[in-house]
mmCIF file of all heavy atoms in Angstrom:
data_model
loop_
_atom_site.group_PDB
_atom_site.id
_atom_site.type_symbol
_atom_site.label_atom_id
_atom_site.label_comp_id
_atom_site.label_asym_id
_atom_site.label_seq_id
_atom_site.Cartn_x
_atom_site.Cartn_y
_atom_site.Cartn_z
ATOM 1 N N PHE A 100 97.731 53.252 97.542
ATOM 2 C CA PHE A 100 98.074 54.539 97.152
ATOM 3 C C PHE A 100 99.033 54.569 95.947
ATOM 4 O O PHE A 100 100.047 55.274 95.984
ATOM 5 C CB PHE A 100 98.732 55.279 98.321
ATOM 6 C CG PHE A 100 97.655 55.997 99.182
ATOM 7 C CD1 PHE A 100 98.049 56.469 100.389
ATOM 8 C CD2 PHE A 100 96.348 55.963 98.813
ATOM 9 C CE1 PHE A 100 97.042 57.105 101.185
ATOM 10 C CE2 PHE A 100 95.401 56.585 99.610
ATOM 11 C CZ PHE A 100 95.728 57.138 100.830
ATOM 12 N N LEU A 101 98.683 53.849 94.932
ATOM 13 C CA LEU A 101 99.470 53.958 93.679
ATOM 14 C C LEU A 101 98.749 55.005 92.835
ATOM 15 O O LEU A 101 97.548 55.214 92.990
ATOM 16 C CB LEU A 101 99.514 52.608 92.994
ATOM 17 C CG LEU A 101 100.143 51.475 93.682
ATOM 18 C CD1 LEU A 101 99.919 50.136 92.966
ATOM 19 C CD2 LEU A 101 101.609 51.660 93.934
ATOM 20 N N LEU A 102 99.418 55.573 91.918
ATOM 21 C CA LEU A 102 98.811 56.518 91.033
ATOM 22 C C LEU A 102 98.054 55.769 89.977
ATOM 23 O O LEU A 102 98.550 54.866 89.282
ATOM 24 C CB LEU A 102 99.855 57.441 90.285
ATOM 25 C CG LEU A 102 100.554 58.419 91.112
ATOM 26 C CD1 LEU A 102 101.324 59.418 90.200
ATOM 27 C CD2 LEU A 102 99.651 59.207 92.033
ATOM 28 N N PRO A 103 96.690 56.046 89.885
ATOM 29 C CA PRO A 103 95.814 55.160 89.096
ATOM 30 C C PRO A 103 96.064 55.138 87.562
ATOM 31 O O PRO A 103 95.880 54.197 86.896
ATOM 32 C CB PRO A 103 94.403 55.710 89.264
ATOM 33 C CG PRO A 103 94.649 57.062 89.811
ATOM 34 C CD PRO A 103 95.975 57.136 90.520
ATOM 35 N N GLU A 104 96.670 56.277 87.046
ATOM 36 C CA GLU A 104 96.914 56.319 85.576
ATOM 37 C C GLU A 104 98.233 55.837 85.149
ATOM 38 O O GLU A 104 98.530 55.758 83.956
ATOM 39 C CB GLU A 104 96.741 57.732 85.103
ATOM 40 C CG GLU A 104 95.408 58.318 85.074
ATOM 41 C CD GLU A 104 95.171 59.437 86.077
ATOM 42 O OE1 GLU A 104 96.057 59.538 86.994
ATOM 43 O OE2 GLU A 104 94.247 60.228 85.973
ATOM 44 N N PHE A 105 99.026 55.335 86.127
ATOM 45 C CA PHE A 105 100.387 54.967 85.778
ATOM 46 C C PHE A 105 100.500 53.438 85.962
ATOM 47 O O PHE A 105 99.794 52.812 86.798
ATOM 48 C CB PHE A 105 101.432 55.655 86.643
ATOM 49 C CG PHE A 105 101.637 57.018 86.271
ATOM 50 C CD1 PHE A 105 100.718 57.997 86.700
ATOM 51 C CD2 PHE A 105 102.718 57.402 85.498
ATOM 52 C CE1 PHE A 105 100.930 59.345 86.329
ATOM 53 C CE2 PHE A 105 102.895 58.752 85.131
ATOM 54 C CZ PHE A 105 102.028 59.711 85.559
ATOM 55 N N THR A 106 101.330 52.822 85.152
ATOM 56 C CA THR A 106 101.549 51.300 85.286
ATOM 57 C C THR A 106 102.412 51.060 86.495
ATOM 58 O O THR A 106 102.942 51.956 87.175
ATOM 59 C CB THR A 106 102.318 50.749 84.036
ATOM 60 O OG1 THR A 106 103.658 51.412 84.035
ATOM 61 C CG2 THR A 106 101.621 51.125 82.739
ATOM 62 N N ALA A 107 102.473 49.758 86.833
ATOM 63 C CA ALA A 107 103.241 49.300 87.979
ATOM 64 C C ALA A 107 104.621 49.833 87.876
ATOM 65 O O ALA A 107 105.233 50.329 88.838
ATOM 66 C CB ALA A 107 103.211 47.774 88.061
ATOM 67 N N LEU A 108 105.220 49.622 86.732
ATOM 68 C CA LEU A 108 106.631 50.015 86.449
ATOM 69 C C LEU A 108 106.802 51.531 86.703
ATOM 70 O O LEU A 108 107.685 52.021 87.395
ATOM 71 C CB LEU A 108 107.055 49.683 85.062
ATOM 72 C CG LEU A 108 108.532 49.890 84.736
ATOM 73 C CD1 LEU A 108 109.379 48.760 85.333
ATOM 74 C CD2 LEU A 108 108.752 50.032 83.291
ATOM 75 N N GLU A 109 105.862 52.324 86.149
ATOM 76 C CA GLU A 109 105.928 53.759 86.285
ATOM 77 C C GLU A 109 105.763 54.218 87.762
ATOM 78 O O GLU A 109 106.427 55.112 88.153
ATOM 79 C CB GLU A 109 104.880 54.505 85.376
ATOM 80 C CG GLU A 109 105.222 54.370 83.859
ATOM 81 C CD GLU A 109 104.036 54.753 82.961
ATOM 82 O OE1 GLU A 109 102.831 54.597 83.447
ATOM 83 O OE2 GLU A 109 104.278 55.074 81.886
ATOM 84 N N ASN A 110 104.808 53.582 88.424
ATOM 85 C CA ASN A 110 104.648 53.810 89.852
ATOM 86 C C ASN A 110 105.902 53.617 90.688
ATOM 87 O O ASN A 110 106.264 54.397 91.511
ATOM 88 C CB ASN A 110 103.495 52.990 90.408
ATOM 89 C CG ASN A 110 102.206 53.816 90.338
ATOM 90 O OD1 ASN A 110 102.058 54.751 91.090
ATOM 91 N ND2 ASN A 110 101.275 53.400 89.512
ATOM 92 N N VAL A 111 106.610 52.503 90.313
ATOM 93 C CA VAL A 111 107.840 52.240 91.081
ATOM 94 C C VAL A 111 108.962 53.201 90.753
ATOM 95 O O VAL A 111 109.748 53.573 91.564
ATOM 96 C CB VAL A 111 108.293 50.764 90.789
ATOM 97 C CG1 VAL A 111 109.542 50.484 91.539
ATOM 98 C CG2 VAL A 111 107.238 49.814 91.285
#
Side-chain angles (χ1 to χ4, degrees):
Chain A
F100 275 170
L101 300 172
L102 291 191
E104 288 114 341
F105 287 80
T106 63
L108 188 78
E109 287 166 336
N110 265 292
V111 176

